[in-house]
Amino acid sequence: MQKKILVMSICAAGACVLAGMVANPEAAPAQDRAMHKFGLAEPLDKREGTVRLATYNMLNFFDSVDDPTLQGEFDDAGMITDEKRCQKLADAIRAMDADILALQEIESLQAIEWFRDTYLTDMGYDHVASIDVGYKRGVENSVLSRFPITNTKVWLDESLDDVQRIGPGWDEVPEDSQQGLEFRRSPLMVDVAIRDDYTLTVFCVHHKSGGLRTMWWREAEALQIMEYINDIEEQDPARNIVVMGDFNSAPWDKSIRVYTQAGMVDTLSHRIIPRWKDADPTEPDLYKTHESGRTLDYILMNSAAHRELVIGSPHVYGTLSPPDSYNWRKDPHPEGYASDHYPVIVDIRPEDRL
């Protein structure tokens, strides 16, 4: 534990790149080398009596079974996740040891069940949710859980036209997109019964990608999800709610502030280093969640769930990153590579005590 704390303090001070480089990296050709650039080289230990939550974008996880509904540009025949990357994904999931794991970019329920039954047989993930989210590329959101999943829901074809943008700071909505706007990938909501007297509602999200060009779209998606959360809290003010996944936004973007200004807490909000004058905020490498050096993945909690957050538990687990020379459009995945995203992990104590 002392070693991990030392790594955090050094990197947070900006004195080094995160420890955990591959042993003798010069022994491999530059194209095949991978290293730890971001996050912790190993997950923190889970404390006794806690429940671990994690989110992980598995980067276009497709099985070997052909889906006849995916043809042409989106044919899944060429998208099969090879055995080596399957094993690296499984290694990362085993290292996390999450009790409830939100996953993005999963082909189907059948695909994630096959992955579980092939690579995670002893992990206790007896409960799985994965539902089509209406995306043309054929990937969806999924949840693996050691606790019973008692309810699942997605919002296919849900209109976002009527979300209310109140106040300043919103990105301009293109004129041709002011009607007919929908979720690019519907959130997956699951209720998880951790105990008979304790239910955790999890929204597994994968917001619209596209950088600054589609900020307005992610803002609309966030506003609509907060409406769902407000409806749940109105019916059950004590409900513990977590939103986790790939938000495709920086911590200071308006789409993230939709959540935080509505009362959701970013469990890694301390990661931002403010800058003065005209400079953008920045973040230490310890907290970046994508191989591009961006923060895109989050675990947000409402006040009921946040009261049970284990202090010091939120962290990013930095699986191996490709070398700087890696071109994701044309290069094969380097040895040891699992995904372009890195998991975010938190622990809670599900007690609900007054």
Side-chain angles (χ1 to χ4, degrees):
M1 184 62 70
Q2 290 179 343
K3 181 178 179 181
K4 292 177 181 175
I5 293 173
L6 176 62
V7 169
M8 291 174 68
S9 63
I10 291 174
C11 294
C16 71
V17 175
L18 186 64
M21 304 292 283
V22 173
N24 191 19
E26 298 301 327
Q31 183 56 53
D32 295 333
R33 270 183 242 143
M35 64 183 73
H36 285 102
K37 293 181 182 178
F38 307 116
L40 293 174
E42 298 177 2
L44 297 175
D45 292 335
K46 182 168 61 175
R47 304 180 196 180
E48 185 177 354
T50 65
V51 172
R52 172 155 289 187
L53 315 178
T55 180
Y56 194 18
N57 183 322
M58 289 177 60
L59 179 59
N60 295 323
F61 179 79
F62 284 81
D63 63 18
S64 60
V65 179
D66 181 56
D67 183 346
T69 67
L70 296 174
Q71 298 293 328
E73 180 184 357
F74 305 111
D75 192 344
D76 63 331
M79 296 295 292
I80 299 170
T81 305
D82 63 56
E83 183 179 355
K84 285 187 176 180
R85 195 162 77 83
C86 282
Q87 188 59 61
K88 291 302 177 182
L89 288 165
D91 291 345
I93 291 172
R94 286 182 176 280
M96 285 185 265
D97 193 25
D99 298 296
I100 302 170
L101 178 59
L103 301 170
Q104 301 83 49
E105 298 197 14
I106 305 300
E107 180 185 8
S108 64
L109 175 63
Q110 292 73 23
I112 195 60
E113 287 182 333
W114 169 82
F115 178 76
R116 176 200 62 182
D117 295 342
T118 306
Y119 294 94
L120 305 172
T121 53
D122 58 345
M123 291 292 290
Y125 293 131
D126 296 334
H127 310 281
V128 186
S130 194
I131 305 175
D132 176 30
V133 295
Y135 186 37
K136 60 186 178 182
R137 282 208 304 110
V139 291
E140 58 197 43
N141 302 321
S142 307
V143 172
L144 295 177
S145 175
R146 290 171 174 156
F147 303 102
I149 295 174
T150 59
N151 180 45
T152 61
K153 185 173 183 178
V154 296
W155 290 264
L156 292 181
D157 305 320
E158 181 84 350
S159 173
L160 305 179
D161 291 340
D162 295 331
V163 295
Q164 298 296 308
R165 294 175 167 86
I166 300 173
W170 301 100
D171 204 52
E172 184 176 354
V173 181
E175 288 188 9
D176 61 355
S177 300
Q178 293 180 0
Q179 295 294 323
L181 185 62
E182 299 176 350
F183 283 114
R184 172 48 60 96
R185 291 165 288 259
S186 169
L188 168 65
M189 187 197 77
V190 301
D191 291 333
V192 182
I194 294 178
R195 291 193 313 266
D196 290 342
D197 61 345
Y198 189 103
T199 296
L200 182 70
T201 295
V202 174
F203 284 81
C204 179
V205 303
H206 189 183
H207 279 294
K208 176 72 177 75
S209 60
L212 297 176
R213 296 178 291 106
T214 52
M215 193 83 74
W216 52 273
W217 199 329
R218 291 188 292 281
E219 292 167 1
E221 290 180 331
L223 285 165
Q224 185 62 65
I225 291 172
M226 279 310 309
E227 286 192 23
Y228 301 148
I229 291 172
N230 291 336
D231 288 343
I232 294 170
E233 291 180 325
E234 185 174 344
Q235 298 176 33
D236 182 4
R239 176 64 60 88
N240 306 282
I241 301 174
V242 175
V243 183
M244 53 183 175
D246 178 358
F247 289 67
N248 273 311
S249 293
W252 45 86
D253 287 345
K254 183 69 172 181
S255 57
I256 298 297
R257 287 186 282 123
V258 166
Y259 290 104
T260 57
Q261 290 174 351
M264 302 297 290
V265 179
D266 176 6
T267 56
L268 279 169
S269 60
H270 57 281
R271 62 181 135 199
I272 300 176
I273 299 176
R275 293 291 182 88
W276 303 111
K277 297 184 179 179
D278 297 328
D280 288 334
T282 189
E283 304 157 286
D285 288 345
L286 189 65
Y287 303 117
K288 294 175 180 177
T289 70
H290 191 265
E291 66 183 30
S292 62
R294 294 175 292 165
T295 294
L296 303 177
D297 305 81
Y298 301 80
I299 296 180
L300 310 181
M301 295 180 163
N302 73 340
S303 59
H306 186 251
R307 285 193 292 269
E308 294 158 24
L309 177 68
V310 175
I311 302 302
S313 70
H315 61 287
V316 176
Y317 168 34
T319 58
L320 293 180
S321 304
D324 293 338
S325 60
Y326 174 71
N327 184 328
W328 65 271
R329 293 184 183 275
K330 63 180 183 180
D331 295 339
H333 296 139
E335 191 74 23
Y337 184 80
S339 175
D340 56 344
H341 286 255
Y342 310 119
V344 180
I345 301 169
V346 305
D347 298 331
I348 62 171
R349 292 190 183 277
E351 297 180 348
D352 271 353
R353 294 189 299 180
L354 296 178

